[in-house]
Amino acid sequence: MLPINPVAGAARFALYRDPHPARVASFAEDVGRGLSMRPYSLMPKYFYDDLGSALFEAITHLPEYYLTRVERDLLATYGSQIVATFDEPLELVELGSGSASKTRVIIDAILRRQDTLTFHPIDISPDALIESSTALVAAIDALRVRAYAGDYFTLLRAQRIEAHGRVLALYLGSNIGNFEPAQARELFGLLGEMLKPGDGLLIGYDLKKDASVLELAYDDPTGVTAAFNKNLLARINRELGGDFDLRAFSFCARYDARDGVVRSFLRADRPMTVHVPGAGIDAEFEGGETIHMESSYKFQRDEMIALVMPYGFVERRTFTDTAGRYALSLLIRA
């Protein structure tokens, strides 16, 4: 295994970067690729610049967007039971940790059972890791953080995560729903290789339900989600010299019950040509033509378990809210 160099951090916090990361396509390359073939598409990982992150935080407080609120309630209700499944000492790994605000519930539950804890958050943004990790170690004396900045597919493929005790891995926020099925299977395969027999995986995912509930969650009447999506066009304008007219695009989200997925689009309200010199692309739009922005897959419990079982996992327990909107499945590496 190649070394990972620690960079800035407090006494109980180290941020690790791969000194030889696999090459990842740039924002400009991905935008150019997405706007060079029809149907047009953009990658949702680019939603989260500073403004996009603030808009998404606002989305999580909307009454229609139940996912974050229900998941936090489930963690608060069942966190102690989840942690009690494992022998001590337990280490915590989280994929896509972001602000780690919900993770604090699990951290507190673990530290009620053991004196110290090592937390391994993984996130694409070094700035987000530094902000969340330094806040955690400042608030919790018994916590040590070994953070990893990078794409978690890359880090898992290269076996970069160095955990030594029993591990509980977290993958929350229904982030698994943003992957196409083949990508989700690849991720579970990599997690199956990383985790040892007896280790745990806690997955948070949105459950299938009536289309009207799902579409309101992803297309709120106040327009915050529309602004969140349009901000990606604004980011292309800011960073790549694009000339998208945000007023000329409408947002829509539709649930496809056959495939179990909410697909989000920006639709051109009129014919136009958009120039993006930083990506080397000119994109012609017909009136009504769309840009695919994001897919959010929904699951039944048995579908999720069937998806992850081939990679060495068995279900220990699944927790849901009383309305059956959202689930946390705790799986054990066999």
Side-chain angles (χ1 to χ4, degrees):
M1 178 176 128
L2 292 173
I4 301 174
N5 296 331
V7 294
R12 290 178 287 108
F13 165 52
L15 176 66
Y16 293 80
R17 305 176 196 250
D18 191 338
H20 305 293
R23 187 183 181 282
V24 177
S26 69
F27 180 42
E29 290 170 326
D30 283 333
V31 169
R33 186 178 302 109
L35 296 180
S36 65
M37 61 186 75
R38 285 180 164 98
Y40 294 137
S41 65
L42 293 171
M43 299 181 70
K45 70 180 182 179
Y46 294 117
F47 281 140
Y48 299 97
D49 63 352
D50 288 345
L51 179 55
S53 296
L55 286 166
F56 183 74
E57 179 65 20
I59 288 169
T60 67
H61 294 285
L62 294 170
E64 298 84 4
Y65 193 83
Y66 56 86
L67 289 81
T68 302
R69 182 173 61 255
V70 173
E71 185 177 62
R72 184 179 289 111
D73 289 345
L74 287 172
L75 289 168
T77 302
Y78 299 109
S80 295
Q81 292 182 41
I82 291 165
V83 168
T85 303
F86 303 96
D87 297 330
E88 305 169 28
L90 187 62
E91 296 189 30
L92 198 60
V93 173
E94 183 171 15
L95 278 63
S97 57
S99 67
S101 59
K102 290 175 292 188
T103 317
R104 176 68 186 264
V105 177
I106 298 295
I107 290 172
D108 290 343
I110 293 172
L111 287 173
R112 286 194 290 269
R113 301 180 74 244
Q114 60 190 57
D115 293 335
T116 61
L117 170 65
T118 300
F119 175 40
H120 306 264
I122 306 168
D123 200 272
I124 196 71
S125 169
D127 292 341
L129 283 169
I130 291 169
E131 182 177 355
S132 63
S133 299
T134 53
L136 282 170
V137 296
I140 308 172
D141 291 340
L143 186 68
R144 179 187 181 209
V145 177
R146 295 171 56 89
Y148 298 83
D151 176 84
Y152 44 75
F153 278 89
T154 302
L155 290 163
L156 290 171
R157 286 189 199 108
Q159 299 181 339
R160 294 292 193 255
I161 313 305
E162 297 184 0
H164 304 289
R166 177 69 66 217
V167 171
L168 173 60
L170 306 179
Y171 196 40
L172 302 175
S174 199
N175 288 329
I176 191 62
N178 294 135
F179 292 121
E180 295 299 323
Q183 293 174 297
R185 288 191 291 269
E186 180 186 3
L187 179 62
F188 287 135
L190 291 169
L191 286 167
E193 293 172 4
M194 183 197 81
L195 297 173
K196 307 177 296 297
D199 287 348
L201 171 62
L202 184 67
I203 310 168
Y205 55 98
D206 200 17
L207 294 167
K208 290 180 177 177
K209 58 186 70 68
D210 187 82
S212 63
V213 177
L214 289 167
E215 290 175 0
L216 268 177
Y218 287 86
D219 189 3
D220 63 280
T222 53
V224 181
T225 311
F228 174 66
N229 279 261
K230 286 187 178 185
N231 179 63
L232 182 45
L233 303 188
R235 181 178 179 183
I236 292 171
N237 290 350
R238 290 191 298 269
E239 298 183 22
L240 303 177
D243 59 2
F244 276 103
D245 180 355
L246 274 61
R247 297 167 298 180
F249 287 84
S250 300
F251 175 72
C252 63
R254 294 291 178 266
Y255 180 55
D256 181 340
R258 183 188 64 182
D259 293 338
V261 58
V262 177
R263 294 189 176 96
S264 300
F265 301 91
L266 288 172
R267 178 184 292 115
D269 296 331
R270 56 175 171 80
M272 71 188 87
T273 301
V274 175
H275 309 282
V276 188
I281 193 75
D282 296 331
E284 301 281 348
F285 285 87
E286 299 177 2
E289 190 165 10
T290 61
I291 309 172
H292 176 253
M293 303 298 287
E294 184 177 29
S295 292
S296 300
Y297 281 86
K298 309 303 171 186
F299 303 90
Q300 301 287 14
R301 175 200 142 272
D302 58 346
E303 292 173 332
M304 178 57 70
I305 303 308
L307 185 62
V308 72
M309 278 184 63
Y311 306 102
F313 293 96
V314 295
E315 181 188 22
R316 175 60 61 89
R317 187 171 174 189
T318 292
F319 307 91
T320 63
D321 63 301
T322 55
R325 292 170 293 179
Y326 196 89
L328 292 173
S329 281
L330 177 61
L331 303 120
I332 306 298
R333 180 69 170 86

